[in-house]
Amino acid sequence: MTGNSLLFCQSVLLVLGLTTLYFAWVSTHLMKKIGNWVLFQLDIVLLWSTALSRYHGQINPFCLSILVVILLASLGLLSLFLMLALGVRKRFGSLETMRGLGGKA
Amino acid sequence: MKDQLPILLLTLPFLAAALLLPLCAASTWINRLIVLAVFITGWIWGWQAWVPAQAQEVWHYHLGGWAAPWGLEIVLTPFTFFFAGWIWLIGMATWFYALPHWMLRHSESVKEALFNVCLFLLIGASLGLLWFRDLLALYLDLEILLAAMTGLLVVGQSKNWREGFDLFFRGNLGASVFLLALFLLYISTGTLNLDDLLSQVFIAKNGTVVLTAGILMAISFACYFVFPLPVFYDRLLIQTPAFLTGFLSSVMTRSVAQLFFVLLFFALNLPGFSAPLWLILLEYVVLVVFLSHLFLGFRQKDLLRSLAMLSVGQLGYLFAGFLLGNKSALTGALLESLNQTLTVAGLFYITGVLHPSPGPMPFSRLSGLARQRPWTGLAFIVFIASIVGIPPMGGSLGKWYLLQGAWEKGNWTVAGLLIAASLVSLFYFVKLVILLYEHPDDTSPVSFSPAMTVPFLALALGVLVLGVFHQTIIQHFIEPALPKAFQDIPMPNVPFLGQQVE
């Protein structure tokens, strides 16, 4: 991939990531929030993966190990998110946050 | 074994958490004994590491012998070592204050064990923020900190599920933005080690990358800096036991602020880089917003909300130091950081002792406190006096150095803001002292065990020690923690003490 097309891909990923970040922030349903966060995290993983073959077309082992660590951490965080959402549903019987953009109840 | 002490000290809380987790269902007393043993072990190992840490000034430890930037590096400076001691002390005090909370809930022994697991995870993550020099490790550490913090809030008060989710969600968005900043730095420099990053940034001289990464990092830490501001965390603040809020806003927020300092001055410090005008204006706006919370905090009618605002407002002093960026200002910011860790925790602990069950607490509960409980009243005055900046409290010297920094730089705006913040605080301090020494209202006598005063009295003593022995602390702990460019510049005088700081 040439430098310009790589930069284009990274820019598109960045814009998509920021869009999912916005939707994650404004949504009031916990599962929608989690879904958008997953997309944002996935977007960042994809951004990191664009740096994999930066050095003369070879796979960069340092970057690869970072990718693996981020993926594993994201899975752990996702499970924590789901546990918290389940706790909220069990206690309040709803997955709505009752909070809008301004954070007011 | 002495050579391995940095990694042993860092992993001790994590090992304790791993040990306590399978023992959740075991006897409560076994769990408590293990917790106590771990805290004592930490002090012993800390004592053993103290001499080599001081002798080396900066102790570089490479995990598994792998040198940076390929391996994981831990760096202990006397300052971060001192700070870690504070964290360990406050962690221990939090565990102590949590004991009566759990004793009232006999049937919740599993929750108590989980609480201790989260407590150790949070302590370990805070130590990691102070000692790690690798950005990926710092990202993972931030995530552990967040998970432990959420765990503490949910386990400590079962009403907090929704608030816990909110906090975890906001923190995670911030951590993801931090990851984005890491990506930007990595593709620009090819490294994630802080020292290596500094040299690569210096070689590349790419101001745009430094600016963008710095802004992304500031955004990612915002969630931690505004904790526990009532605008965002009002229900959480009211529902959570005060000792827990105090622990989190003291240890967690100040550890993240310390990380922010390291990132700004040890990784993104590009020589000759001049910030654009809009960024300078934005920095001043942030400074005013934070410092204005001191004023708002003193005007609150509810003590918990007031303390939350004071905790956040005090961060303005640290940001003022970072904004000024000269030796005196950074010295003041680091001294303030040590002081704020104690004052915030101490004030919340006193509130928790006076008002053990979660819920709003009107200021009128403080009426006549100093007459009924002189030592508690005195500790309260010491903490508030330190926030205001009255000598010889630790906070007074921190603020003096900040003012000195503003004076040296000719930045009258920051100097004016600092003076205004202290004058406004002084006005309310006088009102508060009058309230504390009022004749008590007989309908609400204050009753608690004298043992409960020991931790916050120890913290109040710490605030006094910071002020009285500030020369030694600056010389041996703070100066080695400053950027190298500042280490040979003589320190300014402290006129009102009539002494020269070496």
Side-chain angles (χ1 to χ4, degrees):
Chain A
M1 202 181 272
T2 62
N4 280 340
S5 53
L6 187 68
L7 196 63
F8 178 74
C9 284
Q10 286 172 344
S11 306
V12 169
L13 282 172
L14 191 64
V15 171
L16 286 174
L18 292 178
T19 312
T20 54
L21 175 73
Y22 171 75
F23 282 116
W25 184 257
V26 294
S27 55
T28 54
H29 195 273
L30 299 192
M31 294 315 284
K32 281 184 189 165
K33 274 182 177 290
I34 296 173
N36 280 306
W37 172 80
V38 168
L39 287 176
F40 182 44
Q41 196 75 2
L42 198 67
D43 191 81
I44 293 172
V45 169
L46 284 173
L47 267 175
W48 271 96
S49 68
T50 60
L52 264 178
S53 57
R54 193 168 165 74
Y55 297 102
H56 313 292
Q58 299 287 320
I59 293 279
N60 180 349
F62 188 66
C63 195
L64 189 65
S65 54
I66 291 173
L67 254 178
V68 172
V69 169
I70 296 173
L71 268 173
L72 289 175
S74 303
L75 285 175
L77 291 170
L78 180 61
S79 60
L80 285 176
F81 261 126
L82 292 175
M83 270 169 63
L84 282 167
L86 276 176
V88 172
R89 200 179 72 168
K90 198 177 164 191
R91 186 158 182 99
F92 301 100
S94 157
L95 284 170
E96 287 293 325
T97 59
M98 297 201 305
R99 281 166 190 272
L101 188 61
K104 293 279 181 195
Chain B
M1 184 184 154
K2 271 194 177 171
D3 293 342
Q4 307 300 327
L5 276 171
I7 192 69
L8 285 174
L9 280 168
L10 187 60
T11 48
L12 179 65
F14 292 111
L15 289 174
L19 180 67
L20 285 169
L21 196 60
L23 290 173
C24 274
S27 154
T28 312
W29 286 104
I30 292 176
N31 272 303
R32 286 176 190 167
L33 278 175
I34 291 173
V35 172
L36 191 63
V38 171
F39 275 124
I40 294 169
T41 311
W43 285 120
I44 295 169
W45 285 357
W47 182 253
Q48 286 177 338
W50 174 242
V51 179
Q54 261 213 323
Q56 294 184 37
E57 281 209 338
V58 179
W59 189 348
H60 291 270
Y61 177 87
H62 299 109
L63 193 66
W66 281 64
W70 300 106
L72 196 59
E73 189 186 17
I74 297 168
V75 176
L76 265 81
T77 64
F79 177 77
T80 55
F81 200 78
F82 196 72
F83 204 141
W86 269 180
I87 291 175
W88 203 252
L89 178 72
I90 294 171
M92 211 169 157
T94 304
W95 172 70
F96 178 77
Y97 282 122
L99 283 176
H101 175 84
W102 295 116
M103 279 172 182
L104 290 172
R105 296 164 176 79
H106 295 293
S107 56
E108 298 184 351
S109 57
V110 175
K111 274 192 174 181
E112 183 182 348
L114 279 175
F115 181 88
N116 292 333
V117 168
C118 293
L119 183 73
F120 277 122
L121 281 180
L122 199 133
I123 293 173
S126 303
L127 297 187
L129 289 186
L130 298 181
W131 291 343
F132 276 131
R133 281 293 171 126
D134 182 86
L135 281 173
L136 187 67
L138 286 168
Y139 161 73
L140 295 174
D141 214 55
L142 271 177
E143 294 285 19
I144 295 171
L145 186 89
L146 198 62
M149 188 175 161
T150 312
L152 277 175
L153 289 168
V154 171
V155 176
Q157 174 57 270
S158 51
K159 285 181 191 165
N160 275 342
W161 277 97
R162 193 169 263 155
E163 285 70 28
F165 182 92
D166 272 354
L167 180 85
F168 192 65
F169 174 74
R170 286 174 192 165
N172 256 302
L173 288 190
S176 299
V177 172
F178 186 73
L179 204 53
L180 210 56
L182 259 61
F183 170 71
L184 183 67
L185 286 172
Y186 181 76
I187 57 166
S188 312
T189 61
T191 183
L192 288 178
N193 177 274
L194 291 190
D195 297 328
D196 198 29
L197 197 64
L198 182 63
S199 51
Q200 294 299 325
V201 160
F202 182 74
I203 293 165
K205 290 196 172 50
N206 192 340
T208 316
V209 168
V210 167
L211 182 66
T212 315
I215 291 172
L216 287 176
M217 283 174 176
I219 293 171
S220 66
F221 294 153
C223 161
Y224 302 94
F225 290 149
V226 297
F227 183 88
L229 212 56
V231 183
F232 301 105
Y233 301 104
D234 195 41
R235 269 186 296 177
L236 189 103
L237 188 67
I238 299 302
Q239 287 168 188
T240 311
F243 68 84
L244 191 51
T245 317
F247 173 65
L248 295 175
S249 44
S250 143
V251 166
M252 182 272 298
T253 312
R254 270 71 198 176
S255 310
V256 175
Q258 169 64 21
L259 171 64
F260 192 44
F261 161 73
V262 169
L263 290 173
L264 285 182
F265 291 94
F266 288 88
L268 303 176
N269 193 11
L270 182 62
F273 172 72
S274 57
L277 182 66
W278 63 266
L279 182 65
I280 296 170
L281 289 175
L282 188 67
E283 285 171 352
Y284 279 100
V285 170
V286 170
L287 185 60
V288 171
V289 167
F290 272 89
L291 285 177
S292 64
H293 280 92
L294 289 173
F295 171 66
L296 294 173
F298 279 117
R299 281 182 63 86
Q300 291 293 312
K301 288 187 175 137
D302 180 73
L303 186 58
L304 273 173
R305 290 191 177 96
S306 169
L307 294 185
M309 287 188 172
L310 290 181
S311 164
V312 174
Q314 284 188 85
L315 285 174
Y317 290 116
L318 305 188
F319 297 150
F322 301 164
L323 193 152
L324 292 166
N326 55 12
K327 187 182 183 184
S328 306
L330 290 180
T331 304
L334 293 187
L335 198 58
E336 259 294 311
S337 165
L338 285 176
N339 171 66
Q340 289 177 13
T341 313
L342 301 182
T343 49
V344 171
L347 284 169
F348 272 104
Y349 288 161
I350 294 178
T351 312
V353 168
L354 294 176
H355 189 66
S357 51
M361 179 182 167
F363 253 104
S364 55
R365 282 293 300 272
L366 293 177
S367 170
L369 174 70
R371 285 178 185 271
Q372 290 184 52
R373 295 284 184 153
W375 287 106
T376 308
L378 189 67
F380 202 90
I381 290 172
V382 167
F383 292 133
I384 296 287
S386 193
I387 292 178
V388 177
I390 296 172
M393 312 306 163
S396 65
L397 272 304
K399 285 165 191 75
W400 172 258
Y401 283 117
L402 283 171
L403 207 56
Q404 185 90 17
W407 180 276
E408 284 166 8
K409 211 167 179 184
N411 193 329
W412 310 119
T413 314
V414 174
L417 283 171
L418 293 173
I419 292 170
S422 279
L423 285 179
V424 168
S425 309
L426 183 65
F427 172 71
Y428 286 101
F429 170 75
V430 174
K431 280 179 77 174
L432 200 61
V433 172
I434 293 170
L435 180 72
L436 285 167
Y437 280 96
E438 265 181 4
H439 281 286
D441 182 3
D442 293 335
T443 54
S444 56
V446 179
S447 65
F448 51 85
S449 158
M452 302 302 280
T453 59
V454 175
F456 63 70
L457 282 177
L459 298 187
L461 190 68
V463 171
L464 279 168
V465 166
L466 273 182
V468 175
F469 298 103
H470 68 277
Q471 285 171 292
T472 316
I473 290 165
I474 288 172
Q475 194 181 343
H476 294 291
F477 300 99
I478 292 180
E479 197 158 344
L482 294 176
K484 277 190 181 130
F486 294 142
Q487 288 185 10
D488 295 317
I489 303 171
M491 287 298 297
N493 288 323
V494 185
F496 60 80
L497 290 179
Q499 290 168 339
Q500 171 80 37
V501 181
E502 287 178 16

